[in-house]
Amino acid sequence: MGSLPAQHTVDFKTIDGISLEAWYYPVPGPAPAIIMTHGLNCVKEMSLAETAERFQSAGYNVLLYDSRGIGGSGGLPRNQIDPLQQAEDVSDVVTYVATLSSVDSRRILLWGMSLGATVSACAAAVDRRVAAVLMVCPIFKFIRPDKRAKAFAQLMRDRQSQLRGNDPFTLPPFNSKGENPIGYAGSGGPGGREAYFLMKTAAERGHPNFRDRITLQSYHKMAFFRPKELLEEFLEDIPTMMVVPELDNVSLPADQKAAFETLRTPKQLHLAERKGHMSILSGEGSEEVFQAMLDFFNLALKGKIN
């Protein structure tokens, strides 16, 4: 399609006045737009730019943004992960993208990876302006039963501490053993260790505004996040795709497929053979994954997902 406009940085406001920072990849329009939401505590500089560029080359405007309190975006406390708040913020991202001159506001699509996939789908369940949603290795389980008692006690002590005027307690999402206090996302296993090295690498590369810490109260927010039930009840009439890596050890494939089965909306499942959570978009087999995603968006815009 010839030379494409350059990617550039934009910022815009949420309903409560928080400034969100994004990279915008425009195409000549009006054309459809894809809003990309990254995983837990990740920043736009980390790993999704290549996928954004490929969607742009296929004729889609793309907006890849930092969630509130993370990276270049505003918001306090810093690095507090609040999935329900993030899902609300997605609607303000949609509102902003709809104002861009190169965007056809009737063809705005959501794409998310890992926690960002779950957040994007929850946003689409309420925001019916969205034309389709694509979840890549979404996460549906957050607090392991054997971790609850100790983790919840820590949360209450931290709340008491903050009421005495202390700063929110923060900690790495994964320690060097790949563990975290709630048993989230493959904690203590190969998936948790992969996540630790992802965060460690991001810190070593000096990505702007990346911080390898989250607030302890993030786990309080996750405790109330029930995406499987929310999507089963509210996600309807929105074409939906789920990409499930066969070897995912962060979000178990069985959990992803079980959530997919409950969806009562036009849907499509793609099982990515021999792919893992961290490798889903790169290396051998990634071309097939990208083509499946692109085909889904193209068909969804034509109303051909049943």
Side-chain angles (χ1 to χ4, degrees):
M1 59 188 302
S3 180
L4 292 167
Q7 167 257 93
H8 58 278
T9 301
V10 297
D11 60 81
F12 48 93
K13 301 288 187 182
T14 62
I15 192 173
D16 57 343
I18 301 300
S19 180
L20 301 185
E21 184 178 275
W23 285 346
Y24 183 49
Y25 301 77
V27 296
I34 299 171
I35 294 170
M36 298 182 69
T37 301
H38 50 60
L40 180 137
N41 207 45
C42 295
V43 296
K44 58 189 177 299
E45 291 84 2
M46 283 175 65
S47 57
L48 298 182
E50 182 178 348
T51 302
E53 290 167 358
R54 296 190 70 183
F55 279 132
Q56 183 193 33
S57 295
Y60 289 84
N61 297 287
V62 182
L63 187 101
L64 169 60
Y65 72 100
D66 287 339
S67 297
R68 72 162 61 209
I70 298 172
S73 292
L76 296 172
R78 298 301 296 170
N79 299 88
Q80 180 148 293
I81 312 302
D82 185 344
L84 286 173
Q85 180 63 68
Q86 290 179 358
E88 288 189 46
D89 289 345
V90 169
S91 288
D92 298 334
V93 182
V94 170
T95 296
Y96 169 72
V97 168
T99 69
L100 299 172
S101 60
S102 62
V103 172
D104 179 347
S105 62
R106 300 165 300 175
R107 296 189 290 165
I108 295 177
L109 309 156
L110 301 184
W111 183 102
M113 181 173 179
S114 194
L115 180 60
T118 319
V119 164
S120 297
C122 289
V126 176
D127 193 338
R128 306 299 171 84
R129 298 173 296 173
V130 172
V133 61
L134 200 160
M135 294 182 274
V136 180
C137 49
I139 294 178
F140 293 98
K141 292 190 175 179
F142 297 92
I143 302 182
R144 217 165 65 198
D146 62 307
K147 300 287 188 179
R148 290 174 188 162
K150 184 176 180 179
F152 290 169
Q154 289 177 301
L155 289 174
M156 296 310 110
R157 288 194 294 271
D158 180 53
R159 292 184 72 86
Q160 292 169 327
S161 173
Q162 290 188 52
L163 284 169
R164 293 194 294 268
N166 297 314
D167 290 337
F169 183 78
T170 65
L171 72 170
F174 297 88
N175 65 20
S176 59
K177 296 180 180 178
E179 299 171 334
N180 56 60
I182 61 170
Y184 166 80
S187 173
R193 290 190 289 274
E194 286 182 37
Y196 164 74
F197 282 110
L198 174 72
M199 299 294 176
K200 182 174 182 287
T201 300
E204 291 172 347
R205 290 181 178 175
H207 291 310
N209 302 308
F210 174 74
R211 185 168 178 248
D212 188 19
R213 302 188 75 81
I214 62 174
T215 68
L216 185 67
Q217 290 303 316
S218 297
Y219 300 142
H220 202 167
K221 309 298 184 183
M222 291 180 188
F224 292 113
F225 187 45
R226 315 298 292 176
K228 183 179 177 182
E229 293 80 1
L230 188 153
L231 296 177
E232 180 180 1
E233 182 173 358
F234 293 137
L235 187 63
E236 55 191 4
D237 301 324
I238 305 290
T240 300
M241 181 181 199
M242 189 181 292
V243 176
V244 178
E246 179 187 25
L247 305 179
D248 198 330
N249 49 26
V250 171
S251 177
L252 294 180
D255 293 339
Q256 297 179 57
K257 288 188 279 189
F260 179 84
E261 290 302 319
T262 68
L263 298 179
R264 297 179 296 174
T265 193
K267 61 186 181 180
Q268 189 175 101
L269 178 71
H270 179 78
L271 181 63
E273 296 180 354
R274 300 182 301 280
K275 302 298 288 182
H277 196 90
M278 302 298 176
S279 66
I280 186 66
L281 300 176
S282 60
E284 185 178 353
S286 59
E287 178 61 38
E288 179 184 344
V289 171
F290 180 80
Q291 191 60 51
M293 296 190 299
L294 185 61
D295 289 346
F296 167 76
F297 278 146
N298 289 339
L299 289 171
L301 291 175
K302 295 175 182 177
K304 294 185 177 181
I305 303 297
N306 299 317

